[in-house]
Amino acid sequence: MRLLIKNIGTIVGIDQSGRERVAGADMASVGTLDDAWLVAERGIISDYGQMSRLPQIDADETIDAGGGMLFPSFCDSHTHIVYAGSREQEFLDKINGLSYEQIAKRGGGILNSADRLHAASEDELYRQAMERVDEIISMGTGLVEIKSGYGLSTEDELKMLRVIRRIRETSPIAVRSTFLGAHAVARDYIGRQSEYVDMVCREMIPAVAAENLADFVDVFCDKGFFTVEETERIMRCGAKYGMRAKIHANELDISGGVEAGVRHGALSVDHLERMGDEQIEALLGSRTMPTMLPGAAFFLSMSYPPARKMIDAGLAVALASDYNPGSSPSGNMRMVTALASIKMKMTPAEAINAATINGAAAMGESQRYGSITRGKVANMFVTRPMPSLAWMPYAYQTPVIRHIVLGGKPIKTLQS
Ligand code: NIG
Ligand code: FE
């Protein structure tokens, strides 16, 4: 299948440098080409150029972009979209003054989702998750990481991960999966946290690996959840089975999770609402991607991560949605880029880099996804004509996406 997209006002996110990530001052620019065409062949971006020099192309399908902009699909490197039901009761509790930690302590939060997940069949979970998958596709996401972590028993963690595998097999979106058995201590193990960690290492990780269900391993390393020592133990166990780490760190406290992630070569450390200079220092010179989830800071009314400080220090940063029922019930990556600009003072170009190529890098996938590059997977979306790149986060609620292409094929969605 050969797809031609013509009359593109501007291609955004062009990168032929081969770089794995965009860091520091380089984040402020994105490669662009005005008045352009692009061809995707057998799922891969094969070429692009200027309309004034459009070669004769024998296309199976043609999209007329009508002067709209073409972006690489968002690469959302942190989600929990496989879950059962919803938690708006806790949303009301929060309105009435309880904190995320207080709700968790009362047995709400993650344990509430674990109870619901336990009661749901694999088919029902898949059905609910696919609604969210279709929703994020319609909002421009083309590569997504999905975590387990609402199972908290070997059987239910495997159930979640099998649902993630089924999404990967049946949806046009590209999926990477993460085992997050250490998301919370299961109800049956309350007061016996070290036994729970033993089970994660001795039983869950080998079982997950035996079915090849996870690319990565994650731990909620934070106050009231798992300690640095436990996190390190689980990272070591995961590494034995080829799972690189992606760590939840510094959401509730300066937890030591950032430094632990760096020490163990984690692919990313995520959240970072609490960051000091030492944590930024620890990240400099490492290959660990600091990943910020402003949707969670917004929804929980927390302080936002110090994005400016991190970029100005020379770091590459990524943005992700954290789509989950407790702290971020939205997978809208455009909204995430708007929050990054409005609340964290990231320029629109910085936010786009953080939500595309650096997001892909946080999944170890930036050689195949995250920019408009000859040879990369043809995952992209075309907008209506916009006056400039900045208009996208500025007019943050106006629907803009007109066409979505995944794996080189146009996708029919809720919006297009
Ligand atoms: O990334 N912080 C830990 N985990 C999720 C929230 C999970 C939940 O509340 O269900 C997060 O915010
Ligand atoms: Fe999360």
Side-chain angles (χ1 to χ4, degrees):
M1 150 105 185
R2 187 180 293 135
L3 173 72
L4 166 66
I5 309 179
K6 62 178 188 181
N7 296 324
I8 303 165
T10 307
I11 299 181
V12 178
I14 293 178
D15 188 9
Q16 292 299 146
S17 69
R19 60 190 168 174
E20 243 171 58
R21 58 183 61 207
V22 190
D26 290 343
M27 287 194 72
S29 45
V30 275
T32 58
L33 181 69
D34 291 340
D35 200 16
W37 55 269
L38 179 145
V39 171
E41 225 168 319
R42 273 174 268 118
I44 301 295
I45 299 170
S46 57
D47 207 358
Y48 53 83
Q50 269 182 317
M51 281 305 286
S52 57
R53 284 188 233 133
L54 175 64
Q56 181 58 40
I57 288 164
D58 189 13
D60 300 299
E61 204 162 332
T62 301
I63 292 175
D64 187 336
M69 290 192 184
L70 182 145
F71 288 78
S73 296
F74 292 122
C75 298
D76 189 351
S77 62
H78 182 138
T79 82
H80 311 245
I81 59 178
V82 174
Y83 59 84
S86 54
R87 304 216 310 256
E88 68 274 16
Q89 180 54 48
E90 293 173 11
F91 175 65
L92 298 175
D93 293 341
K94 274 179 221 132
I95 292 170
N96 290 322
L98 290 187
S99 71
Y100 183 82
E101 286 158 284
Q102 285 167 326
I103 291 169
K105 278 220 177 83
R106 293 198 318 190
I110 294 164
L111 295 183
N112 181 353
S113 284
D115 294 341
R116 288 166 197 265
L117 186 128
H118 182 69
S121 69
E122 202 169 306
D123 283 345
E124 178 56 19
L125 256 186
Y126 171 76
R127 193 192 62 73
Q128 292 189 22
M130 277 301 275
E131 280 184 12
R132 299 178 199 116
V133 168
D134 289 341
E135 180 198 359
I136 63 171
I137 290 174
S138 77
M139 295 187 296
T141 298
L143 169 62
V144 64
E145 181 257 18
I146 310 175
K147 299 175 194 297
S148 70
Y150 294 123
L152 311 183
S153 69
T154 304
E155 193 188 328
D156 286 344
E157 284 293 307
L158 291 174
K159 175 164 84 173
M160 278 190 88
L161 289 163
R162 288 186 194 122
V163 169
I164 299 171
R165 177 173 64 193
R166 202 161 143 198
I167 295 169
R168 192 174 189 158
E169 289 167 354
T170 55
S171 170
I173 199 168
V175 176
R176 295 294 169 268
S177 70
T178 299
F179 166 66
L180 174 56
H183 197 190
V185 175
R187 236 181 249 293
D188 299 349
Y189 281 78
I190 289 174
R192 298 187 291 138
Q193 178 147 335
S194 66
E195 284 175 50
Y196 184 73
V197 174
D198 280 347
M199 185 185 53
V200 167
C201 288
R202 296 208 181 120
E203 195 180 307
M204 289 189 185
I205 290 179
V208 168
E211 289 188 46
N212 200 13
L213 286 171
D215 302 302
F216 311 118
V217 62
D218 193 347
V219 178
F220 190 3
C221 180
D222 227 320
K223 191 168 104 197
F225 290 84
F226 294 89
T227 65
V228 167
E229 292 67 36
E230 290 164 339
T231 303
E232 294 197 290
R233 182 173 169 208
I234 293 167
M235 283 195 279
R236 276 196 292 270
C237 288
K240 272 195 221 144
Y241 291 90
M243 299 173 201
R244 283 190 71 185
K246 286 171 70 64
I247 300 297
H248 278 75
N250 294 32
E251 175 184 358
L252 308 170
D253 201 2
I254 298 202
S255 67
V258 170
E259 293 87 333
V262 168
R263 277 198 298 279
H264 288 260
L267 210 38
S268 70
V269 286
D270 303 26
H271 267 290
L272 316 182
E273 286 84 359
R274 323 257 162 169
M275 285 286 275
D277 292 344
E278 305 78 22
Q279 286 70 44
I280 293 178
E281 200 55 46
L283 283 160
L284 280 167
S286 82
R287 289 166 56 89
T288 300
M289 179 70 73
T291 299
M292 301 175 290
L293 316 167
F298 171 69
F299 190 77
L300 297 182
S301 303
M302 295 185 291
S303 55
Y304 287 81
R308 260 295 27 103
K309 239 180 154 178
M310 290 196 265
I311 297 170
D312 294 346
L315 288 174
V317 301
L319 287 165
S321 74
D322 199 17
Y323 197 170
N324 77 73
S327 66
S328 181
S330 161
N332 185 340
M333 284 295 283
R334 180 179 174 213
M335 180 68 186
V336 166
T337 63
L339 285 172
S341 290
I342 298 162
K343 296 291 188 183
M344 305 195 302
K345 307 294 177 219
M346 286 173 68
T347 66
E350 287 172 336
I352 291 291
N353 279 319
T356 57
I357 187 160
N358 285 357
M363 294 179 261
E365 288 290 349
S366 59
Q367 294 306 310
R368 296 177 63 215
Y369 296 91
S371 61
I372 302 302
T373 304
R374 295 181 190 95
K376 280 197 181 179
V377 176
N379 280 7
M380 55 193 84
F381 61 84
V382 175
T383 69
R384 66 183 226 175
M386 300 191 292
S388 70
L389 181 62
W391 196 85
M392 182 105 141
Y394 158 81
Y396 64 96
Q397 286 290 30
T398 307
V400 288
I401 297 180
R402 289 266 167 88
H403 304 276
I404 287 163
V405 173
L406 293 178
K409 292 196 188 111
I411 302 290
K412 289 267 164 287
T413 74
L414 308 170
Q415 283 181 22
S416 61

